[in-house]
Amino acid sequence: MRLSPLALGLTLATASASAQEAAFSAMDAVTLDKVQVQATRVRGVAPFDLPASLTVVGTTANRPGVQLSEMTQTIPGLVARDRQNYAQDTQLSLRGFGARSTFGVRGVRLYTDGIPASMPDGQGQASHFNLLGGDRIEVLRGPFSALYGNSSGGVVQLWSQDGTDTPQLRAEGSAGPDHAWTAGARVLGRQGTVGYNLSVSRFETDGVRAHSAARRDSANLKLDIDLGTGGRLDLVGNFLDMPQAQDPLGLSWAQVQDDPTQATPQAAAFNTRKSVRQSQAGAVWTQDLTDAQQLRVMAYGGQREVIQFLAIPAATQANPLHAGGVIDLDSGYGGADARWSWKGQIAGKPLDITVGGNLDRQRQHRTGYDNFVGSTLGVRGNLRRDERNAVENLDGFAQAYWKFAPRWSLLAGLRYSTVEFTSRDRYIVGRNPDDSGRARYHDTTPVAGLVFAPNDTLRLHVSAGRGFETPTFNELGYRADGGAGLAFELQPAISQNLELGMKWRAQAGHTLEAALFRADTDDELAVATNSGGRSTYRNVGQARRQGAEVASHLALAQDWTLDAAYTWIDASFRSDFLACSGTPCSVPSTPIRAGTRIPGIPAQQLFTRLQWQPGAWSTAVEAIGMSSVTVNDQGSERAPGYGLINLELAHTWRLGEGTLRAWTRLENALDRRYIGSVIVNDGNGRYYEPGPDRGLWVGVRFTR
C-alpha cells in the first residue's frame, strides 16, 4: 500500500508513540515544562495540554547570536533563512505563510516581551530582536495564530530573562569568516523589588558577498518590578542602530554560476544600501484582582527611521508618476492592550476565560527622491514623493479554556479585527495628481481546539480556525493599472485552517510531536506587474498549504542526545490566473495554472543534531537538508535543493565563581555551493542569494 507523506508522518508518529507507551506504561506522571508559555494567553496550563503546535527553544547556544535563524532550526514548519544581506533582514515563513516577502517579515506576527514587533498592517522586522538578553523563543503555528489578529499565519515571540536574586554577568564574543565578529555583555540582578536585565551587543562583517558589509548595534533593558499584593510591572526598552548595511542585490542564475560571491553591477553603480534606527519602549502591568481574577494592561511606543537607496535607472524615473529611487521613511507607532482573566468552574469543571481588546497605530511620513544628481548615481536628488500614511487596528477578543472531563479539554476563541489605511498626498506637482485615499478591512476570526489525554504521556488534539491577512502598506503602495495612488482595491486574504496533532513526553526525557495541517486561502495575494523598478499586487483566487511536521528529542544513551525536525508541505495555487513574465511588464499575460507551486516554499526540510556531552567537553554534528524551491509564480525557475553538514566542539572551564566556555563551529563543512535564500518574483530575474562557503567560527562566553 502506498502512503502519501501526509499519511506517513501521522502513521510514524502514532506508531512510535504507541510503542513507547507500552514501554512506559508503569511510569509515574511526567514532570511538564516549568516555563509558562504565553502564546495562547491561558494561565496555568502547560503547552503540552494545549491544542496547538507550540515550540519553545532557548537562546543560549554555541553560535554568534546575530540572526533569529541560528536559534530556530529545531522548529518544524518554520523556514528562517539568513539572506547574508543585512539590508533585507531574515527571510521568515511559517507553514508557507510569509514566503513571498522580499524583505523583512510579513504574514507572521512578531513580539518581544509581549510587545508587538509587527506593525498593524502585518509588516515586521526581526532585526531588533536582542538574542543576548533573551531567555526563550516561542513559536506558535496553526489555527490558534488567529488569536493575534491580522496577518497571523504564525507567531514568533522573544522573551527576555527576568532579573535574578544573585547578580550575574555574561560577556561573550565570536569571530568568523569575512572579518565578521560579535561582542556583547549582559547583566542580570535584583535590587529590592526591582529585577533588571541589561544587554548590549555589536556585530560587524565585511559580508559573504561583495558590497554586503554591515554593522549592527543593539541594546535591550528589561525591569521586572514586584508591586506587592499580586501586582507586577515590566518595563522594556530596546534600541537598534544599523547605520549602513550594503545591499548586494540578488543574482541571476548565470551570475550564480559565474561567481556566487559577486554583487550585481547595479549594486555598485548605485551604492545600494539601507540605514535603520529604531527605539522602542513598553510597559506591562499585571494585577491579581482576586484569587480568581487578573487584569493585564500593556502600552508601548516607538520610532523607526529607514533610508534605502535602490538600483532604479535614472531613465525609469523620468516618468512623472515615479516615486524615485531613494526611500525615506520616518515612522512613529504605538498601541495598548488590556485583558481581564477569570479562573473558576462551570458544571464543576475548571474554566479559564480571557476577554480583552487592543489598539495599534502607525504614523508614517514617506518621502521619495531621485537616486542621482546629474551624472552622479547613488545620492539623494530631487523630491518625488511626499505622503503622510497611517494604519491602525482596533480589535476585540475573547477565549475560554474548559477542562470539561478528566481526559478532555476545550480551548476556543473569537477575535474581531478592523484595519484601516489612510494616505494623504502632499506631492501634487504637474501631471502627478492627488493620490490621497483610504481603505478599511474587517473580519471575525473564530478558532477552537479539542484535546484528548489518553494517559499522562500522550496528548491528541484537533483544532480549526479562520485567518485574516490584509495587504501591507508596501503592497498597497502602487496600483497594477499604472495609475496614481495606492492600490486600495486589494482585498484581504481569508484562510480556513485545520490541524490534527499529537504530543508525547517520557520521563526519560524523550519527546515527540507531530501534526498534519491544511490552510485553504481565498483572495491569495500575488505579484501583478513588474515595471519601473516597482512590483504591484492583486488578488488571484484560491491557494492551499497542507503538510506534515514532526519533531523529536531523544536521549539515546548516557551523554548522547538526538534532535530532529522534519517538515513536508504542499503549497500550490488552486485557481488559474495571469502573471507577468520579465520586466518591464505592465499587463499580466503569462497563464498560471491551478496546481502550480507557490514560490519560496520548500516541499521538504530536515534538521538533525547529534550531540555528545560527557562533561566539560561537548561535540555535535548537524545535518541540514532543504528541497528545491521555485522562485516565481510561473515555476519556470527554481533554486536547487541542498544538504549541509556543520561540526561543533566546545569546552567549559570553572574559574572560581565563574565559568568560561570556548566553542568552535565549522559551518558547511563539505564546502557545498548552495542558494541560501531567494527573492520571490524579482522583476529583474535576480532571484538568488547564495549561501556562504565553508567557514570557521570561534567564540568564548564568560559567565559569573
Side-chain angles (χ1 to χ4, degrees), residues 399-459:
Q399 72 176 50
Y401 175 82
W402 187 30
K403 191 173 178 59
F404 60 89
R407 296 188 180 275
W408 294 88
S409 60
L410 174 69
L411 178 62
L414 184 71
R415 188 180 187 103
Y416 179 76
S417 302
T418 61
V419 184
E420 184 169 14
F421 295 83
T422 305
S423 178
R424 293 185 175 88
D425 191 1
R426 295 186 171 186
Y427 184 75
I428 306 170
V429 178
R431 292 170 53 195
N432 194 318
D434 187 346
D435 301 336
S436 302
R438 67 176 59 237
R440 187 173 184 270
Y441 306 103
H442 60 88
D443 197 47
T444 300
T445 52
V447 61
L450 189 66
V451 176
F452 173 57
N455 51 60
D456 291 333
T457 64
L458 183 64
R459 299 291 185 270

Side-chain angles (χ1 to χ4, degrees), residues 61-65 69-71 73 174-177 607-611 618-624 644-650 661-669 693-701:
N62 299 323
R63 304 295 295 268
S69 56
E70 301 172 31
M71 310 296 176
Q73 292 176 313
S174 63
F607 174 83
T608 61
R609 177 183 171 91
L610 178 64
Q611 178 168 309
S618 71
T619 184
V621 56
E622 297 173 351
I624 301 171
L644 304 177
I645 299 293
N646 301 326
L647 304 176
E648 180 181 298
L649 179 67
R661 185 171 181 83
W663 57 268
T664 181
R665 283 181 60 89
L666 184 62
E667 304 274 359
N668 190 8
D693 296 333
R694 179 169 53 217
L696 183 68
W697 278 89
V698 295
V700 293
R701 180 184 303 122

Side-chain angles (χ1 to χ4, degrees), residues 73 78-81 91 567 600-607 623-629 639-644 674-677:
Q73 292 176 313
L78 183 147
V79 177
R81 287 175 150 174
Q91 188 179 63
T567 304
I601 304 173
Q604 298 185 78
Q605 61 174 333
L606 173 69
F607 174 83
I624 301 171
M626 189 81 70
S627 66
S628 64
V629 57
Y642 60 86
L644 304 177
Y674 69 103
I675 301 300
S677 62

Side-chain angles (χ1 to χ4, degrees), residues 193-461:
T193 60
V194 180
Y196 57 88
N197 176 346
L198 173 63
S199 60
V200 294
S201 63
R202 168 169 285 190
F203 164 69
E204 286 195 22
T205 180
D206 287 346
V208 169
R209 296 169 55 198
H211 197 76
S212 62
R215 192 192 87 194
R216 181 188 294 172
D217 293 325
S218 177
N220 190 79
L221 172 65
K222 177 185 175 182
L223 303 176
D224 58 276
I225 305 171
D226 185 355
L227 302 177
T229 64
R232 170 175 167 139
L233 178 65
D234 288 341
L235 301 177
V236 181
N238 52 63
F239 173 77
L240 168 71
D241 183 27
M242 192 166 60
Q244 183 169 296
Q246 295 177 327
D247 187 351
L249 304 179
L251 300 178
S252 68
W253 187 246
Q255 289 171 322
V256 170
Q257 296 299 100
D258 176 56
D259 179 8
T261 66
Q262 68 177 303
T264 64
Q266 294 87 345
F270 287 92
N271 189 17
T272 50
R273 61 200 186 273
K274 185 177 184 179
S275 300
V276 178
R277 179 184 289 263
Q278 176 173 312
S279 55
Q280 180 173 296
V284 182
W285 173 52
T286 306
Q287 179 67 53
D288 292 335
L289 303 178
T290 66
D291 291 341
Q293 299 183 61
Q294 184 183 80
L295 179 66
R296 178 188 181 273
V297 179
M298 181 273 293
Y300 72 100
Q303 190 76 21
R304 184 177 179 88
E305 302 169 6
V306 178
I307 300 175
Q308 185 171 14
F309 286 76
L310 305 175
I312 299 176
T316 300
Q317 299 172 63
N319 184 336
L321 301 182
H322 202 280
V326 179
I327 299 173
D328 190 340
L329 300 176
D330 188 356
S331 298
Y333 59 91
D337 178 293
R339 66 189 69 156
W340 169 80
S341 299
W342 174 80
K343 291 177 66 71
Q345 291 187 344
I346 184 171
K349 305 299 181 182
L351 177 67
D352 186 317
I353 294 176
T354 299
V355 178
N358 67 279
L359 169 69
D360 301 281
R361 174 178 292 183
Q362 179 186 11
R363 293 288 184 264
Q364 182 183 89
H365 184 201
R366 184 185 188 105
T367 52
Y369 301 85
D370 289 333
N371 59 359
F372 62 92
V373 175
S375 60
T376 304
L377 304 180
V379 295
R380 183 183 302 213
N382 294 324
L383 179 69
R384 302 298 302 275
R385 187 175 194 171
D386 186 357
E387 294 172 359
R388 296 283 183 171
N389 296 328
V391 56
E392 62 182 41
N393 71 276
L394 178 61
D395 293 15
F397 56 85
Q399 72 176 50
Y401 175 82
W402 187 30
K403 191 173 178 59
F404 60 89
R407 296 188 180 275
W408 294 88
S409 60
L410 174 69
L411 178 62
L414 184 71
R415 188 180 187 103
Y416 179 76
S417 302
T418 61
V419 184
E420 184 169 14
F421 295 83
T422 305
S423 178
R424 293 185 175 88
D425 191 1
R426 295 186 171 186
Y427 184 75
I428 306 170
V429 178
R431 292 170 53 195
N432 194 318
D434 187 346
D435 301 336
S436 302
R438 67 176 59 237
R440 187 173 184 270
Y441 306 103
H442 60 88
D443 197 47
T444 300
T445 52
V447 61
L450 189 66
V451 176
F452 173 57
N455 51 60
D456 291 333
T457 64
L458 183 64
R459 299 291 185 270
L460 304 174
H461 74 263

Side-chain angles (χ1 to χ4, degrees), residues 14-310:
T14 305
S16 175
S18 298
Q20 295 287 354
E21 173 56 28
F24 290 98
S25 58
M27 290 190 341
D28 294 332
V30 176
T31 300
L32 301 178
D33 305 287
K34 295 181 180 179
V35 173
Q36 175 56 55
V37 175
Q38 304 292 327
T40 51
R41 304 189 179 106
V42 178
R43 293 188 296 151
V45 180
F48 186 67
D49 294 310
L50 295 173
S53 293
L54 183 60
T55 305
V56 183
V57 296
T59 59
T60 301
N62 299 323
R63 304 295 295 268
V66 176
Q67 298 282 56
L68 186 68
S69 56
E70 301 172 31
M71 310 296 176
T72 56
Q73 292 176 313
T74 58
I75 301 175
L78 183 147
V79 177
R81 287 175 150 174
D82 183 354
R83 296 180 182 271
Q84 301 298 323
N85 180 350
Y86 297 95
Q88 304 298 353
D89 213 349
T90 300
Q91 188 179 63
L92 184 69
S93 64
L94 279 170
R95 293 183 176 176
F97 288 97
R100 76 171 179 271
S101 180
T102 56
F103 65 93
V105 178
R106 57 105 56 248
V108 175
R109 302 295 297 185
L110 303 176
Y111 291 82
T112 57
D113 291 311
I115 296 172
S118 297
M119 296 298 103
D121 65 344
Q123 187 78 42
Q125 305 286 336
S127 56
H128 78 286
F129 275 23
N130 188 294
L131 298 175
L132 180 59
D135 174 55
R136 67 191 188 277
I137 298 169
E138 298 175 6
V139 178
L140 175 66
R141 310 175 297 284
F144 276 93
S145 303
L147 292 176
Y148 286 81
N150 174 37
S151 293
S152 185
V155 181
V156 178
Q157 302 200 59
L158 173 69
W159 294 93
S160 302
Q161 185 172 341
D162 285 348
T164 54
D165 292 335
T166 302
Q168 296 181 13
L169 168 67
R170 178 171 140 195
E172 60 182 53
S174 63
D178 307 301
H179 300 98
W181 62 271
T182 67
R186 183 183 76 178
V187 290
L188 292 173
R190 184 170 298 279
Q191 291 290 332
T193 60
V194 180
Y196 57 88
N197 176 346
L198 173 63
S199 60
V200 294
S201 63
R202 168 169 285 190
F203 164 69
E204 286 195 22
T205 180
D206 287 346
V208 169
R209 296 169 55 198
H211 197 76
S212 62
R215 192 192 87 194
R216 181 188 294 172
D217 293 325
S218 177
N220 190 79
L221 172 65
K222 177 185 175 182
L223 303 176
D224 58 276
I225 305 171
D226 185 355
L227 302 177
T229 64
R232 170 175 167 139
L233 178 65
D234 288 341
L235 301 177
V236 181
N238 52 63
F239 173 77
L240 168 71
D241 183 27
M242 192 166 60
Q244 183 169 296
Q246 295 177 327
D247 187 351
L249 304 179
L251 300 178
S252 68
W253 187 246
Q255 289 171 322
V256 170
Q257 296 299 100
D258 176 56
D259 179 8
T261 66
Q262 68 177 303
T264 64
Q266 294 87 345
F270 287 92
N271 189 17
T272 50
R273 61 200 186 273
K274 185 177 184 179
S275 300
V276 178
R277 179 184 289 263
Q278 176 173 312
S279 55
Q280 180 173 296
V284 182
W285 173 52
T286 306
Q287 179 67 53
D288 292 335
L289 303 178
T290 66
D291 291 341
Q293 299 183 61
Q294 184 183 80
L295 179 66
R296 178 188 181 273
V297 179
M298 181 273 293
Y300 72 100
Q303 190 76 21
R304 184 177 179 88
E305 302 169 6
V306 178
I307 300 175
Q308 185 171 14
F309 286 76
L310 305 175

